[in-house]
Amino acid sequence: MHKYELAVVVNVKLEDEERAAVIEKVKEYIARFGGAVTDVEEWGKKRLAYEIQKMKEAYYYFIKFESENADCPNEVEDNVRIMENVIRYLVVKQEA
């Protein structure tokens, strides 16, 4: 099993339900491509290091997942990339 961490930065203008829906959609992508979510950390609203799309703040989420499929992180990135309310993302493989 390979372990990964996905950092997702979500648009600050969304309501709580809309943010939850974005994170659920990301979790669905992980499951669809053979991954299993092990942990979701919500860091809340944080100030961005620099302005992105005229926003100075955003909501940060860290999703840890496992997968046997080596293509899973790439497939998840490809789908998260086109999500409208995700302004930044990054998948990192965790060391054993």
Side-chain angles (χ1 to χ4, degrees):
M1 262 314 193
H2 301 285
K3 295 183 179 198
Y4 303 94
E5 184 173 67
L6 169 62
V8 181
V9 182
V10 180
N11 189 333
V12 74
K13 296 174 185 161
L14 297 179
E15 297 296 324
D16 290 345
E17 307 86 42
E18 294 171 307
R19 282 196 319 271
V22 168
I23 297 305
E24 282 303 313
K25 190 74 171 168
V26 172
K27 288 163 59 175
E28 287 173 18
Y29 286 139
I30 292 169
R32 182 190 307 170
F33 297 113
V37 175
T38 57
D39 188 29
V40 178
E41 293 180 36
E42 180 180 351
W43 282 21
K45 190 187 326 186
K46 301 280 183 193
R47 186 166 175 77
L48 296 169
Y50 53 89
E51 196 172 289
I52 303 171
Q53 298 174 5
K54 299 186 180 180
M55 287 181 266
K56 296 179 190 286
E57 293 180 319
Y59 286 94
Y60 284 72
Y61 293 88
F62 291 89
I63 302 170
K64 293 182 181 178
F65 66 99
E66 299 177 340
S67 177
E68 286 288 333
N69 181 0
D71 290 334
C72 180
N74 296 333
E75 296 290 345
V76 170
E77 271 191 350
D78 289 346
N79 285 282
V80 171
R81 174 180 292 122
I82 59 175
M83 291 179 70
E84 193 174 313
N85 292 312
V86 174
I87 58 175
R88 288 289 186 271
Y89 61 91
L90 179 67
V91 176
V92 178
K93 184 175 181 180
Q94 293 183 324
E95 295 299 322

